[in-house]
């Protein structure tokens, strides 16, 4: 069976794909896997901010076409790249155990030892995320934020070799997977398959990490209800402790001057993996987990939707509407 990796981000995409294939081989020693290199629209358009491109499937469309044509059997994604509503015929068949979900600051060599707080006035910080820029602009108003695109290697090269950026913001998980901890979505890998391919659902379903799965269902339900994507600064964070799922979500204006955050919790008994109880239509926010009890999944989805409604009822819609208008206008 075949699994693609993105050619435009060869190192990280290949490492992520290799890690999933290695887990599948451990569980199924007799299976053979072929990894096919592919590139996507998001990999090719590097001179435009993600929030300006307007395509929701920037990093998935070409890969889904290959799935549809049966050229590949599964696709490994950073879960943050997958829209909360998938095209018909596709589903996320596995949510792997989440790694470090945090953002990391990487400084230009001349600013090693500094912090964002101690960077000089009007220092330029690069990020491809409106959410990161809005949050940091609010906390560090003396800094300027500018879009930076490209794979990890390219962004680090731009930081080190150009004099344009004093620092850049990256996902810590990506740096760790590349073995670049010394320079320091998010953090979870999702495996996309054909929704009706029961053999592949059974195969990759063994990779589901129950805690990460429930967290991601809640997060994706929150983002879907707010219509949060690359064009608005929306953030969400989850934690599970003592049978409680805690979900914190927030929205920001583009410049970070306005913000709104709330936290809700729900009782969720984290299930043991591979429990029985498949459903006729098991998808929730694009994820199929037939071996995880439905009641836990529904509780997680309801928590995400409820938190989104709480923020909307408190006025989040006006903040998001203005952010979308300003982003479209620039």
């Amino acid at each position: 069976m075949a699994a693609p990796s993105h050619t435009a981000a060869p190192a990280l995409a290949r490492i992520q794909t290799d890690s999933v294939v290695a887990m599948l081989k451990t569980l199924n020693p007799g299976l053979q896997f072929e990894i096919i290199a592919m590139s996507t629209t998001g990999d090719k358009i590097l001179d435009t901010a993600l929030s300006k491109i307007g395509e929701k499937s920037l990093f998935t469309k070409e890969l889904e076409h290959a799935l549809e044509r049966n050229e590949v059997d599964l696709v490994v994604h950073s879960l943050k790249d997958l829209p909360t509503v998938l095209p018909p015929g596709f589903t996320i068949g596995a949510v792997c155990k989440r790694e470090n979900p945090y953002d990391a600051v990487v400084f230009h060599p001349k600013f090693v030892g500094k912090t964002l707080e101690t960077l000089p006035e009007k220092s330029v910080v690069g990020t491809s995320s409106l959410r990161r820029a809005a949050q940091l602009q609010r906390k560090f108003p003396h800094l300027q934020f500018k879009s930076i695109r490209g794979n990890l290697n390219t962004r680090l090269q731009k930081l080190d070799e150009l004099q344009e950026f004093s620092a850049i913001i990256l996902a810590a998980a990506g740096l760790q997977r590349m073995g670049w901890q010394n320079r320091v979505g998010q953090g979870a890998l999702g495996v996309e398959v054909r929704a009706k391919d029961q053999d592949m659902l059974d195969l990759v379903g063994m990779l589901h990490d129950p805690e990460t799965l429930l967290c991601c269902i809640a997060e994706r339900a929150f983002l879907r209800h707010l219509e949060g994507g690359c064009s608005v600064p929306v953030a969400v964070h989850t934690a599970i402790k003592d049978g409680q799922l805690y979900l914190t979500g927030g929205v920001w204006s583009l410049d970070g001057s306005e913000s709104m955050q709330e936290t809700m919790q729900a009782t969720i008994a984290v299930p043991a993996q591979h429990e029985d109880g498949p459903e006729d239509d098991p998808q929730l926010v694009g994820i199929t987990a037939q071996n995880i009890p439905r009641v836990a999944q529904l509780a997680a989805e309801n928590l995400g939707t409820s938190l989104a409604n709480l923020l909307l009822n408190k006025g989040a819609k006006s903040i998001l509407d203005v952010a979308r208008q300003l982003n479209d206008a620039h």
Side-chain angles (χ1 to χ4, degrees):
M1 60 194 63
S5 66
H6 300 207
T7 54
L12 181 58
R14 182 58 189 248
I15 286 171
Q16 293 179 166
T17 303
D18 284 346
S19 70
V20 169
V21 168
M23 288 187 283
L24 288 172
K25 282 184 175 178
T26 299
L27 295 167
N28 305 272
L31 289 182
Q32 296 296 316
F33 294 85
E34 176 189 2
I35 297 178
I36 299 173
M38 301 180 68
S39 58
T40 67
T41 303
D43 296 322
K44 296 170 184 173
I45 303 176
L46 298 178
D47 58 352
T48 305
L50 290 176
S51 59
K52 304 293 185 186
I53 298 175
E55 168 61 59
K56 289 186 177 180
S57 303
L58 281 176
F59 296 101
T60 60
K61 185 161 59 175
E62 288 82 359
L63 307 180
E64 287 167 343
H65 285 168
L67 263 179
E68 189 172 35
R69 295 190 295 263
N70 293 311
E71 296 170 359
V72 299
D73 299 300
L74 58 95
V75 181
V76 179
H77 300 279
S78 291
L79 197 56
K80 64 181 179 60
D81 292 335
L82 281 167
T84 55
V85 178
L86 297 184
F90 303 103
T91 190
I92 301 164
V95 177
C96 303
K97 185 174 178 62
R98 174 173 267 157
E99 295 186 34
N100 189 332
Y102 296 105
D103 296 332
V105 184
V106 183
F107 291 94
H108 187 281
K110 69 180 179 183
F111 290 120
V112 169
K114 292 275 191 181
T115 65
L116 289 177
E117 192 169 14
T118 59
L119 280 176
E121 187 85 16
K122 298 190 182 303
S123 292
V124 177
V125 176
T127 174
S128 61
S129 163
L130 285 181
R131 186 265 305 168
R132 288 171 177 158
Q135 288 176 310
L136 293 171
Q137 188 77 68
R138 182 177 180 85
K139 188 169 179 62
F140 306 104
H142 69 292
L143 300 178
Q144 297 179 347
F145 295 88
K146 183 177 179 181
S147 175
I148 183 171
R149 295 287 316 285
N151 60 53
L152 279 182
N153 310 59
T154 301
R155 292 188 209 187
L156 288 170
Q157 187 176 9
K158 287 179 179 179
L159 172 67
D160 291 341
E161 297 181 3
L162 304 179
Q163 299 303 312
E164 186 175 3
F165 298 101
S166 300
I168 58 177
I169 312 297
L170 300 168
L175 290 166
Q176 290 175 342
R177 288 178 185 133
M178 295 288 285
W180 294 338
Q181 294 92 329
N182 62 318
R183 297 301 303 259
V184 239
Q186 332 256 83
L189 295 180
V191 182
E192 188 178 15
V193 299
R194 291 178 289 273
K196 300 298 184 183
D197 191 339
Q198 191 59 50
D199 288 341
M200 290 306 302
L201 283 168
D202 291 342
L203 176 69
V204 303
M206 294 185 284
L207 302 181
H208 273 308
D209 177 72
E211 280 202 13
T212 304
L213 169 80
L214 296 176
C215 287
C216 288
I217 287 176
E219 293 164 5
R220 288 171 64 81
F222 173 79
L223 294 170
R224 181 187 63 185
H225 204 66
L226 285 182
E227 298 180 3
C230 291
S231 61
V232 287
V234 176
V236 63
H237 178 262
T238 46
I240 293 179
K241 184 178 181 181
D242 299 329
Q244 295 288 308
L245 175 57
Y246 297 87
L247 183 67
T248 299
V251 302
W252 285 260
S253 59
L254 286 187
D255 63 0
S257 61
E258 289 185 89
S259 71
M260 185 178 297
Q261 295 183 66
E262 292 289 347
T263 298
M264 293 181 71
Q265 67 190 80
T267 300
I268 290 198
V270 178
Q273 206 172 9
H274 309 315
E275 289 191 17
D276 294 326
E279 298 284 333
D280 290 336
D281 183 18
Q283 279 204 51
L284 290 178
V285 288
I287 297 172
T288 298
Q290 295 171 333
N291 54 349
I292 304 296
R294 185 74 164 179
V295 63
Q297 297 183 57
L298 289 171
E301 182 187 42
N302 183 61
L303 178 62
T305 303
S306 298
L307 181 61
N309 280 326
L310 176 63
L311 286 174
L312 290 172
N313 291 337
K314 291 193 169 188
K317 187 176 187 302
S318 62
I319 296 176
L320 293 175
D321 286 346
V322 171
R324 286 191 183 94
Q325 291 166 6
L326 290 175
N327 182 58
D328 292 342
H330 285 75

